[in-house]
Amino acid sequence: MIERYSWAPVGGVEGSRYVPVVRVSFHTEKACYQLKGKAENVDDPTNQILSIATQKTLDAPAGTFSMKLAGDKWFRSQLIKPNDLVVIQMGYQTTKGEESSTVMVGLVDRVRRTRELDGGMATSVTGRDFGKILIKSNLKFYPQIGGSEAKSDKFFLTNEGWVTLMSYFTNENVMKGTPAAVLDNIMRFILPKLNTVQWTVWDEKKQTPVAKKVNVTNILRYNFAKVDLFLPMILTADQYEGSLWNMMERACVQPFTEFFVDVRNPDEAWNKGSKPRVVNETIEQASDAAKAKFPKGKGYYPYPRFPFGKDNAVVSLFLRNTPFDKDAWEKLLAHEVTAADVIEEDLSYSDDEHYNLFWAGTTINPLGFDLKNVVPPLINEANVSRYGLSPLEVQVEGLSIDQDDQTSTTLLEGMSGQYTKKLKSWYENNHLFMNGAVTVRGKGHYRIGQRLQASGIMKEFYIESVNQTFNLYEGWTTTLQLTRGKDYKKAAAPAANKSATKTAAAGKTASKKTAAEVKAEFHTVKKGESLWIIAAAAYGKGDAWTKIWNANKEMLIKRDQRNVSSPGQYLYEGQVLKIP
C-alpha cells in the first residue's frame, strides 16, 4: 500500500507576507559597522548585504557563515579584518516592527574581493562561530623557550610541560573527575591561558555605542550536565598535545553525550524553571577549591558575560546527556511546522546507519577480566536475519563510579550494561525512522538538538543541522537536516472555561470548523488540473479562477517565473492552493 501525504508540497508557503531582514554587525577596533539586507526595494543603496548563509551542525565543532557585501570598500579600505567579531541577526519587518533572532556570533576567517560578471565589485566574508576558539587553541609544549618566572603562568611555555597540565586534573581542583568537572577545569584554568585575545565589542543597545574590551571568558559561557563516569586523565591524556577541542571531546564520552557550541536565548540556556533548556538535567558544579581560585567577579562561572542582539543571545558551550530516554526527549524544545511553512522536503527511510548488535565498554580495565564475557553484547536477531550483522561497539576512556560513594569499587559491569542498553535503544530502529531535509520559510528560532513536530503527518524529528540562507533578490529560507522521524501524539487542547462554554452554547462565538470546512479552504493540485478546473469545482464557475490566482500568485510565481507573463498557467502536482 502506498500512503500519500499532502503535508509538504513544493512551493506550499502560505500565511502572512512579511519582509525578510538581515542585520550584520562587525565589531572592529575602530568602529561597529551595522549592515543590513532587506528583501524589498532591492535597489535601495542602504542594502549592503547581498547574500548570507550560516550553517550549524550538531557533530561539527564550529558553525560557519559566508556573506557577500555590496562594493569593495570593505576590502579596499580594510574596514573588516580577520578575527573581527561578527553578530548575525535574521528576522522580518512586520506591521508591529522588526522581529529578529541572533542566529550566529562568530569571528571572521577571510575577507576577499570578487568581481561580478557585470563588472561590479563585491566583498566576500567567511568565518566560524566561537567553536573556532576551541579548535585553534592548541596544547603545545616548548621547554626550550621556557624557564623564566615571568612565563610560568603560561604552562605551555614552561619546563614542566604536560606535568603542569596534568596537575589541573589530579590535585584538589578536581573533586570527582567526571566529564563535567574535567571540562570545567579546562574552561576555567586552561583556555584563558591558551587564548588571551581581546576583542573590541560595541554596546549596540545604547544610542551612542560604547566600546568594551572583552576576552573569551566574557563571551563563551558554559553549562555542563552531570555524567556518572570517572575520567582518569593522568592515564588517558598523558603528554597530550593537540587541539583543545579534541581533548575536550575525549572527555565527553560520546555518543552517550552531546558536546557543542551554540547561540541560545538566555531563557532556554539558563532558567531552572519549567521552560525547555539546552541542558534540562542536573548541572555538575565545580568544586569549592576550583571556585576559590577566582575572586568574585573575575571568574568564569556564572558571570560576567556579554549578550548579543536584540534578544540578548548568549554564546555558550554545552555538554548534555544524549536524550536516549523518553523523559529527556520530551524535555527538548519543540517547534511545530505546518504545510503553510514548507517550501521543499526530501525525506526518506534508509538502512545506512542500521545496527543490530550492540556493546559498550571501556579502554581502561584495572580488574583484568574480559568484560565481554561478563556483559555480553545485545543483539536483535530478527534484524540480523533481514539486514545481516551490523555491529556497533563503543569504548570510552573512563570508569563507572558511584557518585554517592566515590570510594566504592569500580562498577565496570554496571557501566557496560547500562551503556550497552542505551546504544541499543538509540540506534536499533534507525532504519524505521524518517530522515532527510526540509526547507521552510525563514525562521531564526530553530536550533540544533531541538525537536521539530510536523502536524500534517504527525511526525516529530531531531534537528541535527540548521542552515539559514538569505538572498536580497530571493528572500530567506531555512533548511533543517532531520533524523529520528517518528510518530507522535499531539498534546490535548486545554479544556474550555465555563464562560467560554456558555458563550459558545449561546451561539455568540464562531463554532470550530468541521474537517470538511478546513479541507475546503485548501486544495492539493492533481495532475492535469488548472485554475479554471479548480475554480469550477470550488465555486461552480471556472471564470472565478482569478480569486484563486490572487490568493496564491506570490507562491506560484516563486515556484515558476513563467506565471508572471501567463498567470496561473504553470501548476505542479502536489502544490497546495488556498481557496478563498
Side-chain angles (χ1 to χ4, degrees):
M1 179 183 76
I2 299 178
E3 190 171 359
R4 301 189 182 277
Y5 301 104
S6 61
W7 166 58
V10 173
V13 175
E14 301 287 350
S16 301
R17 295 296 175 181
Y18 297 142
V19 179
V21 179
V22 169
R23 295 192 181 275
V24 176
S25 299
F26 289 97
H27 294 255
T28 74
E29 292 184 0
K30 295 182 179 179
C32 179
Y33 300 108
Q34 298 173 317
L35 283 60
K36 80 167 185 177
K38 188 175 181 181
E40 183 181 64
N41 301 325
V42 295
D43 294 327
D44 185 342
T46 63
N47 280 323
Q48 291 290 328
I49 303 172
L50 303 180
S51 65
I52 186 168
T54 67
Q55 181 180 45
K56 187 63 190 177
T57 303
L58 195 61
D59 59 359
T64 61
F65 65 85
S66 61
M67 66 185 79
K68 183 175 288 187
L69 309 179
D72 69 338
K73 69 176 182 178
W74 311 103
F75 175 88
R76 186 180 66 251
S77 301
Q78 289 189 300
L79 300 179
I80 302 171
K81 298 180 180 179
N83 220 37
D84 281 342
L85 189 142
V86 184
V87 181
I88 301 171
Q89 300 177 77
M90 293 184 173
Y92 289 94
Q93 184 70 46
T94 73
T95 55
K96 297 180 181 180
E98 189 175 305
E99 301 173 357
S100 62
S101 300
T102 303
V103 299
M104 187 168 288
V105 177
L107 300 168
V108 174
D109 282 341
R110 173 181 293 184
V111 183
R112 71 177 188 272
R113 180 170 60 189
T114 58
R115 185 183 295 275
E116 303 298 310
L117 290 175
D118 60 2
M121 293 288 192
T123 302
S124 294
V125 182
T126 58
R128 289 170 284 177
D129 69 10
F130 264 78
K132 170 183 177 179
I133 295 296
L134 301 176
I135 298 171
K136 296 197 70 174
S137 296
N138 277 276
L139 284 162
K140 293 288 183 179
F141 305 120
Y142 303 101
Q144 67 273 23
I145 60 174
S148 69
E149 290 295 325
K151 296 178 180 178
S152 62
D153 187 50
K154 299 183 183 303
F155 59 83
F156 54 93
L157 296 180
T158 67
N159 287 319
E160 288 80 11
W162 68 271
V163 176
T164 304
L165 171 66
M166 285 299 102
S167 69
Y168 284 101
F169 305 119
T170 56
N171 64 11
E172 73 281 2
N173 292 336
V174 179
M175 183 173 66
K176 298 179 179 179
T178 61
V182 169
L183 294 177
D184 177 80
N185 274 272
I186 291 175
M187 293 295 291
R188 193 183 296 270
F189 301 112
I190 299 173
L191 178 59
K193 297 180 187 300
L194 292 178
N195 189 299
T196 57
V197 175
Q198 285 194 326
W199 293 274
T200 302
V201 178
W202 300 79
D203 189 346
E204 299 182 69
K205 296 181 178 64
K206 295 187 177 181
Q207 203 164 24
T208 303
V210 177
K212 294 182 179 179
K213 286 289 186 180
V214 299
N215 56 34
V216 68
T217 64
N218 301 122
I219 297 175
L220 186 59
R221 299 194 66 199
Y222 59 94
N223 195 334
F224 299 145
K226 179 180 178 182
V227 182
D228 289 336
L229 200 74
F230 175 70
L231 298 171
M233 299 294 288
I234 191 66
L235 301 176
T236 61
D238 182 12
Q239 301 190 49
Y240 174 85
E241 288 189 317
S243 166
L244 195 62
W245 175 268
N246 290 340
M247 182 183 196
M248 297 174 83
E249 267 197 321
R250 286 176 60 176
C252 287
V253 201
Q254 295 175 326
F256 305 105
T257 66
E258 294 173 330
F259 185 59
F260 57 92
V261 177
D262 204 7
V263 175
R264 298 289 171 132
N265 182 286
D267 286 345
E268 186 196 352
W270 308 115
N271 280 3
K272 296 184 178 180
S274 59
K275 293 183 181 180
R277 300 167 63 229
V278 182
V279 181
N280 206 333
E281 50 191 303
T282 304
I283 306 300
E284 186 82 43
Q285 300 288 353
S287 68
D288 291 337
K291 291 179 181 178
K293 291 288 184 180
F294 285 103
K296 186 176 181 181
K298 291 188 177 181
Y300 242 105
Y301 190 92
Y303 288 102
R305 67 175 175 84
F306 199 94
F308 296 95
K310 290 185 177 181
D311 51 350
N312 290 319
V314 183
V315 184
S316 299
L317 177 67
F318 298 100
L319 170 73
R320 74 177 183 194
N321 289 282
T322 304
F324 288 113
D325 58 77
K326 185 173 181 291
D327 181 60
W329 175 267
E330 291 180 347
K331 286 181 179 178
L332 299 176
L333 183 65
H335 304 273
E336 184 173 358
V337 65
T338 65
D341 295 313
V342 177
I343 298 172
E344 185 176 355
E345 68 164 78
D346 182 6
L347 299 171
S348 64
Y349 297 99
S350 171
D351 68 344
D352 289 345
E353 294 185 6
H354 166 70
Y355 301 100
N356 46 46
L357 184 143
F358 311 90
W359 186 80
T362 176
T363 57
I364 304 170
N365 187 346
L367 303 181
F369 58 78
D370 187 349
L371 199 54
K372 287 183 181 178
N373 288 331
V374 181
V375 184
L378 297 178
I379 188 171
N380 185 320
E381 295 183 0
N383 283 347
V384 171
S385 64
R386 176 173 173 80
Y387 298 99
L389 184 65
S390 297
L392 177 60
E393 183 174 315
V394 176
Q395 292 189 326
V396 299
E397 294 183 353
L399 304 169
S400 184
I401 61 172
D402 183 346
Q403 289 281 22
D404 297 324
D405 180 13
Q406 294 178 43
T407 62
S408 64
T409 306
T410 301
L411 309 174
L412 290 183
E413 297 175 36
M415 180 197 72
S416 179
Q418 175 190 7
Y419 282 169
T420 297
K421 289 179 182 177
K422 286 183 176 182
L423 283 180
K424 187 174 186 291
S425 66
W426 188 251
Y427 293 101
E428 183 178 29
N429 295 314
N430 275 5
H431 60 296
L432 304 177
F433 293 141
M434 194 180 284
N435 303 286
V438 171
T439 300
V440 298
R441 183 170 69 93
K443 186 177 179 182
H445 300 307
Y446 295 116
R447 294 289 186 269
I448 56 174
Q450 296 176 342
R451 288 184 294 160
L452 183 76
Q453 294 180 338
S455 55
I457 56 174
M458 296 307 291
K459 295 281 186 184
E460 66 176 354
F461 301 85
Y462 195 50
I463 301 177
E464 298 270 358
S465 176
V466 180
N467 300 334
Q468 304 283 2
T469 304
F470 171 85
N471 186 288
L472 190 63
Y473 305 97
E474 299 175 7
W476 174 26
T477 60
T478 303
T479 300
L480 307 172
Q481 294 292 332
L482 305 171
T483 59
R484 305 191 65 74
K486 57 184 178 181
D487 297 336
Y488 82 102
K489 292 183 180 180
K490 205 165 188 177
N497 58 44
K498 292 182 179 180
S499 61
T501 304
K502 289 179 180 178
T503 304
K508 293 181 180 178
T509 59
S511 61
K512 291 184 178 179
K513 296 178 181 178
T514 64
E517 288 173 327
V518 173
K519 187 175 181 180
E521 292 181 352
F522 296 91
H523 176 79
T524 302
V525 177
K526 299 179 180 62
K527 188 174 182 180
E529 284 188 327
S530 65
L531 291 185
W532 183 281
I533 293 173
I534 297 169
Y539 305 120
K541 52 181 182 179
D543 58 4
W545 67 271
T546 54
K547 290 184 181 180
I548 303 175
W549 163 251
N550 289 330
N552 298 275
K553 62 182 180 180
E554 291 183 21
M555 176 268 291
L556 293 174
I557 290 173
K558 185 172 183 179
R559 179 64 178 86
D560 196 319
Q561 289 291 322
R562 291 178 295 179
N563 280 314
V564 174
S565 56
S566 303
Q569 291 294 311
Y570 298 94
L571 302 183
Y572 294 86
E573 183 180 1
Q575 283 182 296
V576 173
L577 302 178
K578 186 176 183 180
I579 308 299

